[in-house]
Amino acid sequence: MFTRVAISSAFKHCSRPSRPLAPFQCLNQQLPSRFTPPIQVRLLSTEVKAAIDKAVGSAPVVLFMKGTPETPQCGFSRASIQILGLQGVDPQKFTAFNVLEDESLRQGIKEYSEWPTIPQLYIEKEFVGGCDILMQMHQNGELSKILEEKGVLVAAEPEPEKVT
């Protein structure tokens, strides 16, 4: 009952204007403060930002994931590792960071990239995306092109010459 009364009184001026309104005029009017949603502002601390900058630059291919490549702790992290393995990413040019070991890293990486989920892949300090983006890029061939262009794949071994 209270909700119905509160909502109807808050929007009363929009629903029954005493004079004609321009289109969308009601949308621009201020609601009473009890109806405005709280604005959450998070600022990435300089220490966390510096640590993430250093981590992102630590290797040509960087994955922030839950768990480790050997023991992923979520299915999306496991899928991301499998995709990178199928693509042939050179282990010498790859590193992973376990966000479960550090809560500030876990929250900070989301703010750093403005991407809400983990895992997150960076190639040459550039954010690529999460597991869903990796999967899509893997399926349509974009990921292999990027990895090849950046030179982060395992070098193909030359085939031995046949002696005749």
Side-chain angles (χ1 to χ4, degrees):
M1 180 71 171
F2 171 75
T3 306
R4 183 175 173 207
V5 172
I7 291 174
S8 65
S9 65
F11 294 106
K12 188 174 186 177
H13 66 279
C14 284
S15 61
R16 293 185 217 134
S18 58
R19 58 185 169 74
L21 297 174
F24 307 109
Q25 184 175 351
C26 290
L27 298 176
N28 295 330
Q29 294 181 1
Q30 288 286 347
L31 293 176
S33 62
R34 66 177 182 230
F35 295 110
T36 56
I39 297 174
Q40 293 183 354
V41 176
R42 292 187 188 170
L43 298 176
L44 194 58
S45 74
T46 54
E47 296 91 16
V48 173
K49 184 178 182 322
I52 293 173
D53 281 337
K54 185 176 179 182
V56 167
S58 65
V61 180
V62 178
L63 182 67
F64 291 90
M65 62 182 291
K66 293 179 181 177
T68 64
E70 297 79 23
T71 56
Q73 297 297 310
C74 88
F76 298 113
S77 292
R78 180 181 312 279
S80 297
I81 288 294
Q82 288 175 339
I83 289 169
L84 294 174
L86 288 171
Q87 291 289 331
V89 172
D90 187 346
Q92 301 297 320
K93 297 180 180 181
F94 169 78
T95 191
F97 291 90
N98 183 359
V99 299
L100 298 177
E101 292 178 347
D102 185 354
E103 186 61 29
S104 63
L105 175 61
R106 185 176 184 175
Q107 292 307 316
I109 193 64
K110 294 175 185 179
E111 294 170 31
Y112 182 86
S113 64
E114 297 179 1
W115 190 261
T117 60
I118 295 169
Q120 294 184 10
L121 180 70
Y122 289 79
I123 299 175
E124 302 246 335
K125 300 180 184 178
E126 185 178 334
F127 177 64
V128 176
C131 183
D132 54 341
I133 303 296
L134 280 180
M135 183 73 71
Q136 181 182 10
M137 291 176 73
H138 171 67
Q139 290 171 344
N140 68 20
E142 287 180 59
L143 186 59
S144 61
K145 289 177 189 173
I146 291 172
L147 294 171
E148 192 173 326
E149 287 172 5
K150 302 294 183 178
V152 295
L153 300 176
V154 174
E157 294 181 18
E159 293 184 27
E161 293 181 28
K162 292 183 180 180
V163 178
T164 56

